[in-house]
Amino acid sequence: CVVFQQIGASLMSSNVGSGLFIGLAGTGAAGGLAVGGFERNAAWVLIALGWIFVPVYISAGVVTMPEYLRKRSGGQRIRIYMSVLSLILYIFTKISVRLLTWVTALCLNVILDEMLKLVACFNAGGLTAVIYTDAFQTVIIIGAFVLMFIAFNKVGWCEGLLVQYERAVPAITVPNTTCHLPRSDAFHIFRDPVTGDVPWPGLIFGLTVLATWVWCTDQVIVQRSLSAKNLSHAKGVSVLGGYLKVFPLFFVVMPGMISRALYPNEVGCVDPGECMEICGASVGCSNIAYPKLVVEIMPGLMIAVMMAALMVFILLLVALSIVWIPVIQAANSGQLFNYIQSITSYLASPITTVFIMAILWGRVNEQGAFWGLMVGLVVGTVRMVMEFVYSPPSCREKDLRPALLKDVHYLYFALILLALTALIITAFSLCTAPIPEQHVTMDRDPNTYTFKEFFIHLYTKVQKGDKCYIPNYTGTFVLECGCVVSPMWLNEMSEEEQKALERKLTSIEEDHTWKTVCNVNALILLTVNVFLWGYFA
C-alpha cells in the first residue's frame, strides 16, 4: 500500500510543478474557471493509461517510450527522433517555464545554489529516488490547501468571490476598451465554440490529444506507472492520480481568481506601461497572481513550493532555457499556462497520433510512422514560429495576426494536426510493405534475444521489489535493492528459462479481487468527473 501511494503521489506531483501553480493560477486570474477543465480532462486519459496503454507497454517488455516505438516499428530513426524531440519539449515547456516562475517569484538568486546541490543528490538515486522525491513534493500541496482556505476566508468564500471578481477592475485602464473588465463567462468552464478564449469543443476533444501525450506517452509520466509491481497496481495508480487531479481547480485556479479580486491593480493591470513597472511584461501581469497571493498571505510557502517543484538537471539546458524566457513572457498574452499548452499542441500532437495508431492498427509500419511524425513536425513548427513572430496585440491595438493564428485556437489546431498526421501515416503505411509480424505482436524472436535486453528487464523487475537470486559467482552487479546478480549466471540460463522469465516480466494477469476494485474505482472516478463537468459547465 505504501508503494502504491508513493507511485500515485509521484504521478500527481510530476505534473504539479511551479509551472502549474504560476501558470494555471495566472490564467484563472485572467479568464476564470475554464482553465480548470485542463486538469479535469486528465481523469479520462489516466483511465486510458491504466487500462489501454500500460498493458501494451508491459506486454511489449519495454521500459521507455522510444524503446516501444523501436520495437513496434522495427527501426531506429523514430527512436532517435523521439529522444531529441522530448529534449526540445523539455527545454521549451519545462525548464524555461520553471525558471520563469523563479523570476516571477523573485527568488532565483536566493536559492539557485541550493537547488543545484539538491539536483545532484536526487539524480544519483535513480527512479526510486525520483518517486520518493515526487511523493514528498506532494506534501507541498497541503500548504497550497492551507493557502486556499485562508484566501477564501479573506475574500468572503464563494459568494464573496462571485461579487469581488466581477468588480476586479484596475485603477488605470485603457480608454475606449473593455479589456480591463473580467469576462462575463468567468465562472463557466464551457465557453463559446467560436469566440470563447477556451472553446468547449477544443477543451473536450483537442485537449484530449495533448493530455494523451502527457499522461500516456511521455516518459516522465509513464515510467512511474511502469514501476508498479503489476497491472492492478498500475491501474490503481492511474485511478489515484485521477482523484488527485480533481483538486487543482480549487487550490490553484480559484486562488488565482481570488488574487485578482484582492489585488486588481497588480494582477489585473492592462495598461502596458503600468504592467511593465509591475511585472516586466507589457501584455499583462496575470502570472503574478499566485506569487502575489502567497507573498501577501503566506510568504514562507513560496520558497518551499519552488524548491520542491523545480528540479533542473543539466546546466546547458538551463542556459538555453534562460535565453528563451523573454519569448515566453511575450507569448499568449503573457499567460504562462496557455503558452505551455500551445507549444504542446504544436509539437506533441503527432506523437500522440503515432502511439494511438500503433496500438490500434497493426498495419502501421515504420515508414508511415516516421513520415507522419516528420510532416506533423513541419506543420506544427510553422504554427509555433508564427506564434512567436506575430505577438498578440496589447489592449489598445488591433489584432493584425494571420487568420491561422487569431481564428484557429491552438486546441482546434491540435485536432487538425492529429487528423493530418493520421492521414500521412495511413497513406505511407498502405503504400509500403507491412512490417514483420513479430513487431505487431511484440513477440520475442529467439534469434534476436540479447543478454543486454534480458538484463535490463531483470534490473527493472528488481527495482519493482520482486525477489531476485544471489549467485556465487565473480563479476557481479550490485542492484539498488541490495541483490547481487552475475552476468555469468544469466548467460548460463537455458533458452526455456529465459523465455519463462520473459513471460513473467511481460505478464498482464491480474488478481480477480484487485481487478474488480480497480474497475469499480475507475467508474466512480469517471462519475465524479462527469458530475463536476456538468456542475461547472
Side-chain angles (χ1 to χ4, degrees), residues 160-415:
L161 177 59
L162 284 168
V163 174
Q164 291 197 42
Y165 185 83
E166 293 178 353
R167 300 174 180 173
V169 177
I172 301 177
T173 62
V174 178
N176 301 319
T177 66
T178 59
C179 54
H180 55 278
L181 298 176
R183 295 185 61 92
S184 59
D185 55 2
F187 288 89
H188 300 276
I189 285 184
F190 282 2
R191 307 282 172 85
D192 188 273
V194 178
T195 61
D197 59 331
V198 184
W200 71 262
L203 186 63
I204 294 179
F205 302 108
L207 178 57
T208 302
V209 177
L210 313 187
T212 301
W213 171 75
V214 172
W215 295 104
C216 300
T217 71
D218 182 26
Q219 178 66 22
V220 174
I221 298 296
V222 176
Q223 67 176 345
R224 269 73 174 174
S225 294
L226 293 181
S227 67
K229 296 187 68 173
N230 52 53
L231 181 57
S232 292
H233 277 217
K235 288 182 176 180
V237 164
S238 295
V239 173
L240 177 58
Y243 282 134
L244 294 175
K245 293 300 283 185
V246 168
F247 299 109
L249 173 66
F250 304 102
F251 72 81
V252 181
V253 178
M254 290 185 177
M257 300 175 68
I258 292 173
S259 182
R260 173 168 178 168
L262 295 177
Y263 317 107
N265 292 330
E266 294 87 355
V267 178
C269 77
V270 292
D271 180 74
E274 182 73 9
C275 292
M276 282 295 296
E277 292 184 6
I278 294 173
C279 64
S282 61
V283 290
C285 293
S286 60
N287 286 333
I288 71 169
Y290 202 85
K292 178 68 175 177
L293 194 65
V294 171
V295 169
E296 296 292 338
I297 296 179
M298 293 177 61
L301 178 64
M302 185 46 125
I303 291 181
V305 170
M306 292 296 138
M307 285 299 295
L310 308 181
M311 293 298 174
V312 185
F313 64 95
I314 299 179
L315 291 178
L316 176 60
L317 299 185
V318 174
L320 293 174
S321 300
I322 291 174
V323 174
W324 194 250
I325 284 177
V327 179
I328 301 177
Q329 288 179 309
N332 295 93
S333 300
Q335 295 183 35
L336 182 62
F337 191 80
N338 284 345
Y339 162 82
I340 298 173
Q341 300 302 325
S342 63
I343 294 297
T344 302
S345 71
Y346 306 149
L347 298 181
S349 295
I351 299 176
T352 301
T353 311
V354 168
F355 271 91
I356 292 176
M357 293 190 68
I359 289 175
L360 298 181
W361 189 32
R363 187 60 176 80
V364 173
N365 59 17
E366 195 273 345
Q367 291 89 341
F370 177 78
W371 289 111
L373 288 172
M374 291 300 102
V375 173
L377 174 65
V378 171
V379 176
T381 302
V382 169
R383 168 68 188 248
M384 184 178 71
V385 171
M386 292 177 63
E387 191 84 51
F388 297 135
V389 171
Y390 298 96
S391 301
S394 62
C395 185
R396 61 165 62 93
E397 296 176 342
K398 185 179 180 180
D399 193 348
L400 300 177
R401 295 176 298 168
L404 181 62
L405 286 180
K406 66 179 181 180
D407 296 334
V408 181
H409 195 276
Y410 65 82
L411 291 176
Y412 287 150
F413 186 82
L415 289 173

Side-chain angles (χ1 to χ4, degrees), residues 10 121-137 224 463 480:
S10 174
C121 295
F122 288 121
N123 281 345
L127 178 58
T128 302
V130 170
I131 290 176
Y132 276 100
T133 303
D134 285 343
F136 173 75
Q137 288 174 202
R224 269 73 174 174
Q463 282 192 317
E480 288 189 8

Side-chain angles (χ1 to χ4, degrees), residues 33-34 37 40 44 152 158-159 162 185-190 246 249-250 254 526-537:
L33 293 179
R40 193 75 71 245
W44 316 108
F152 265 108
C158 293
E159 295 80 5
L162 284 168
D185 55 2
F187 288 89
H188 300 276
I189 285 184
F190 282 2
V246 168
L249 173 66
F250 304 102
M254 290 185 177
L526 295 178
T527 302
V528 171
N529 203 42
V530 169
F531 168 76
L532 291 173
W533 273 108
Y535 183 81
F536 289 104

